[in-house]
């Protein structure tokens, strides 16, 4: 394939009691939620970075700095859509994505189909081009204690023309 473009993204957040827990545009029921300046959708953050990276662009911290008050409680769907717009200006669009969620709780498996559906809609790609995986930190560190969550993502792009 010519013009093959691949990028990676990584994000980590703290989990604290009684906060919303959004994952890939899906609201997940859990006694803890994500501590963040935006709405804390860690999956969308890691995917946005992977897509921007594949496009040779900067990261979401550069385009949506958390020091900017206008980004407070910013919808992560908006962050991803803005990232897609930046790619579109370069005639690029997502081809496929894949990511791994690392946390002890909640269990991700029951949400895999919802996640695939949600991301396929936001990215305008077929659900068969969305890979969703999950693992735990085997009880090690802050993620292992159930007080953190991390996501590793990879994405590829194709030319629109
Ligand atoms: Zn984040």
């Amino acid at each position: 394939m010519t013009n093959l473009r691949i990028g990676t993204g990584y994000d980590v957040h703290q989990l604290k009691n009684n906060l919303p827990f959004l994952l890939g545009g899906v609201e997940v029921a859990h006694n803890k939620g994500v501590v963040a300046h935006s709405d804390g959708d860690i999956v969308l953050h890691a995917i946005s970075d992977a897509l921007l990276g594949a496009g040779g662009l900067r990261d979401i911290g550069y385009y949506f700095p958390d020091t900017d008050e206008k980004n407070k409680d910013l919808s992560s769907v908006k962050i991803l859509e803005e990232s897609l717009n930046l790619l579109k200006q370069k005639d690029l669009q997502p081809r496929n994505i894949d990511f791994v969620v690392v946390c002890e709780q909640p269990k991700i498996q029951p949400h895999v189909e919802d996640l695939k559906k949600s991301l396929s809609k936001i990215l305008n790609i077929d659900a068969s081009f969305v890979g969703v995986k999950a693992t735990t930190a085997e009880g090690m560190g802050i993620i292992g204690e159930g007080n953190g969550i991390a996501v590793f993502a990879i994405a590829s792009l194709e030319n629109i023309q």
Side-chain angles (χ1 to χ4, degrees), residues 10-13 34-38 40-46 60 76:
Y10 167 74
D11 196 17
V12 62
H13 281 268
V34 174
V35 180
H37 194 70
S38 68
D41 195 322
I42 185 167
V43 166
L44 297 188
H45 295 173
I60 58 171
S76 299

Side-chain angles (χ1 to χ4, degrees), residues 5 10 12 17 20 31 41-42 47 70 80 85 91 96-97 105 109-110 126 129-130 159:
R5 282 179 171 271
Y10 167 74
V12 62
N17 288 332
N31 61 342
D41 195 322
I42 185 167
I47 288 170
K70 80 172 192 302
L80 183 46
N85 278 338
D91 293 326
N96 83 303
I97 60 154
Q105 289 290 337
Q109 285 310 325
D126 192 87
F129 286 79
V130 179
N159 271 86

Side-chain angles (χ1 to χ4, degrees), residues 112-128:
V112 167
E113 285 311 313
D114 284 346
L115 274 162
K116 282 168 77 87
K117 215 179 287 175
S118 168
L119 289 161
S120 115
K121 198 174 153 205
I122 299 168
L123 295 166
N124 197 24
I125 56 177
D126 192 87
S128 67

Side-chain angles (χ1 to χ4, degrees), residues 37-39 63-74:
H37 194 70
S38 68
D39 67 7
Y63 298 111
F64 313 96
D66 62 11
T67 48
D68 191 336
E69 267 309 302
K70 80 172 192 302
N71 293 331
K72 187 153 172 30
D73 300 322
L74 180 66

Side-chain angles (χ1 to χ4, degrees), residues 21 30 35 37 40-41 45 52 55 57 98 106 132 136 145 147 155:
F21 198 139
H30 188 44
V35 180
H37 194 70
D41 195 322
H45 295 173
L52 290 168
L57 297 167
D98 179 35
V132 182
T136 70
E145 289 161 9
N147 296 317

